[in-house]
Amino acid sequence: MSLSLVLVGAAAALPAAAASSPSPSPSVAPITFGIRPSGEDGDPRSSFRFRLDPGAEVSDSVTVFNYSESPLTLKLYAADAVTNSSGDVALLPRDATSAIAGWIRFDGPQDSAMVVPARTRVDVPFTISVPAQSGPGDHVAGI
């Protein structure tokens, strides 16, 4: 069985102070945060891919970068992925997630907001626990 995690920062986190920030030009939106697999500098992974047997667990980390000059309050969560009508991977809305997202747990309190200080990064550990009764095949989720 294989499990793939897709990193999608824009769908996964919202800045808490967006309303108090000046509105950027509609044609140029500033990039305020990024997300990628954690690891040594130069980690070549752009996504997570694990081959896990039913009942297995694996731990890893995701890094959240704050590129802005102000602290950002963000909320990370896992979401199930599907293939959309264009053939691309798309994440289901948070409240529509089903099985796969439930296999992923972040270390620390679940569903809590995190503050990423200005111009820094935060590594967020997570664990994937595959249920013993899960079937073979690709199981895709996103963070």
Side-chain angles (χ1 to χ4, degrees), residues 25-127:
S25 161
S27 62
V28 180
I31 297 173
T32 58
F33 71 94
I35 183 170
R36 72 170 198 156
S38 294
E40 300 296 321
D41 287 338
D43 185 340
R45 299 181 297 171
S46 61
S47 63
F48 297 98
R49 297 193 187 280
F50 304 102
R51 279 202 186 279
L52 302 171
D53 292 326
E57 280 192 352
V58 65
S59 294
D60 210 321
S61 294
V62 63
T63 299
V64 180
F65 297 89
N66 178 357
Y67 300 116
S68 76
E69 299 296 331
S70 303
L72 283 175
T73 301
L74 307 171
K75 189 177 237 183
L76 292 183
Y77 61 90
D80 287 358
V82 296
T83 303
N84 66 18
S85 60
S86 301
D88 298 320
V89 173
L91 298 180
L92 293 176
R94 183 175 187 185
D95 58 354
T97 60
S98 60
I100 313 311
W103 301 358
I104 302 166
R105 294 282 178 248
F106 295 98
D107 290 3
Q110 299 299 305
D111 291 328
S112 62
M114 60 186 278
V115 176
V116 183
R119 312 294 286 163
T120 62
R121 64 182 261 179
V122 173
D123 293 329
V124 182
F126 64 89
T127 300

